[in-house]
Amino acid sequence: MKADPEAQRRLLDLQAIDIALTQLAHKRKSLPEHAELDRLARELSTMEDQRVRAQVAVDDLDRDISRLERDAEQVRARKDKDQARLDAGTGPARELEALQHEIATLKRRQGELEDAELELMEQRETAQAALDEVAGRLTETRSVRAAAEQRRDEALAGIAKDEEFRRSGRKPLAADLPADLITLYDKIRESSGGIGAAMLRHGRCEGCRLELAGGDKARVKAAAADEVVRCEECRRILVRTAESGL
């Protein structure tokens, strides 16, 4: 393939832009905020599970406390009714005696229910404290996540701006170069880790960092200035300049 020596040298400018774009793409994928957000997502998921369990514990205790309150209210109402009948003093003596026994039994039952309710209320206080604690950690971690998201978005916006600048410079440069040279360059670049053209500097290929052997160096030196030569090792386009050492 033939190409004007200046066009070949301008491939290095194009390659520099493509390397910058590759680095920017890598930077986008490897932003530290990505790993941080993944970690925070796992922590939030764990904490949300803890919050749900803590809420269930509070809800269960509320339900049990409500049940005990209803039972205690029923016992209290029955006791008050019996006490009113007893205070009225009407009815046979045996019936009044039975009322006294029932009132005593209801008092004991009322005391048992109130003690159980008090115990459950203490348990609920502990459960509510646990719920408040995990809810607080959730709020704090969500704030940390929001800050990380903002940093990520700002970094991505900066990368996108830089990419746009690079692409705006690449487009006219590529359009000004021979189509067949660009086609070859892009094909090599896609198969060679993003490097399609490399400078020959002091007899060494800047693509694979290997020094040309005597025969290869002689071949390149003998090639016409407009001949597109390639490295025998990495097959990248070798761009000759005043620094080639030929």
Side-chain angles (χ1 to χ4, degrees), residues 151-197:
R151 292 196 305 273
R152 177 203 60 192
D153 293 344
E154 290 173 352
L156 289 176
I159 291 171
K161 184 177 180 180
D162 202 356
E163 284 177 329
E164 180 60 29
F165 172 76
R166 304 284 182 178
R167 290 194 179 102
S168 67
R170 186 187 195 282
K171 187 174 182 180
L173 177 58
D176 196 42
L177 294 174
D180 56 350
L181 181 63
I182 289 295
T183 299
L184 176 62
Y185 164 78
D186 284 337
K187 182 178 179 180
I188 297 171
R189 187 167 61 90
E190 290 174 4
S191 62
S192 302
I195 306 295

Side-chain angles (χ1 to χ4, degrees), residues 29-221:
K29 292 180 180 178
S30 58
L31 284 175
E33 287 77 14
H34 292 321
E36 182 181 5
L37 287 169
D38 287 343
R39 176 183 61 80
L40 289 170
R42 292 191 294 271
E43 289 182 6
L44 284 168
S45 178
T46 298
M47 281 187 277
E48 181 60 27
D49 290 341
Q50 293 172 348
R51 187 201 64 78
V52 170
R53 290 195 294 271
Q55 184 65 63
V56 168
V58 170
D59 293 344
D60 287 347
L61 287 167
D62 282 341
R63 184 180 61 253
D64 291 342
I65 290 171
S66 295
R67 176 179 54 79
L68 286 176
E69 287 178 345
R70 290 193 301 271
D71 290 348
E73 181 58 32
Q74 290 175 356
V75 170
R76 190 178 302 109
R78 177 67 179 272
K79 178 176 66 68
D80 291 345
K81 182 180 179 180
D82 286 353
Q83 187 65 52
R85 290 175 58 193
L86 182 63
D87 292 343
T90 58
R94 293 183 60 183
E95 183 177 337
L96 295 176
E97 184 180 353
L99 283 173
Q100 288 178 329
H101 287 301
E102 183 171 321
I103 289 171
T105 300
L106 291 172
K107 283 183 177 180
R108 286 194 301 272
R109 179 57 179 162
Q110 181 180 346
E112 292 170 355
L113 291 171
E114 289 174 348
D115 288 344
E117 182 180 353
L118 180 60
E119 182 178 349
L120 287 183
M121 290 178 70
E122 291 174 350
Q123 293 178 18
R124 189 199 183 283
E125 183 177 350
T126 300
Q128 184 65 53
L131 176 59
D132 292 344
E133 188 273 337
V134 71
R137 286 193 289 120
L138 270 169
T139 299
E140 181 179 352
T141 304
R142 285 169 180 155
S143 296
V144 173
R145 179 182 63 182
E149 288 174 338
Q150 182 176 355
R151 292 196 305 273
R152 177 203 60 192
D153 293 344
E154 290 173 352
L156 289 176
I159 291 171
K161 184 177 180 180
D162 202 356
E163 284 177 329
E164 180 60 29
F165 172 76
R166 304 284 182 178
R167 290 194 179 102
S168 67
R170 186 187 195 282
K171 187 174 182 180
L173 177 58
D176 196 42
L177 294 174
D180 56 350
L181 181 63
I182 289 295
T183 299
L184 176 62
Y185 164 78
D186 284 337
K187 182 178 179 180
I188 297 171
R189 187 167 61 90
E190 290 174 4
S191 62
S192 302
I195 306 295
M199 180 189 291
L200 177 62
R201 188 194 301 272
H202 305 307
R204 184 186 301 273
C205 171
E206 291 287 285
C208 60
R209 303 292 180 179
L210 295 177
E211 188 171 350
L212 270 63
D216 290 336
K217 189 173 182 179
R219 172 182 61 82
V220 173
K221 183 176 181 179

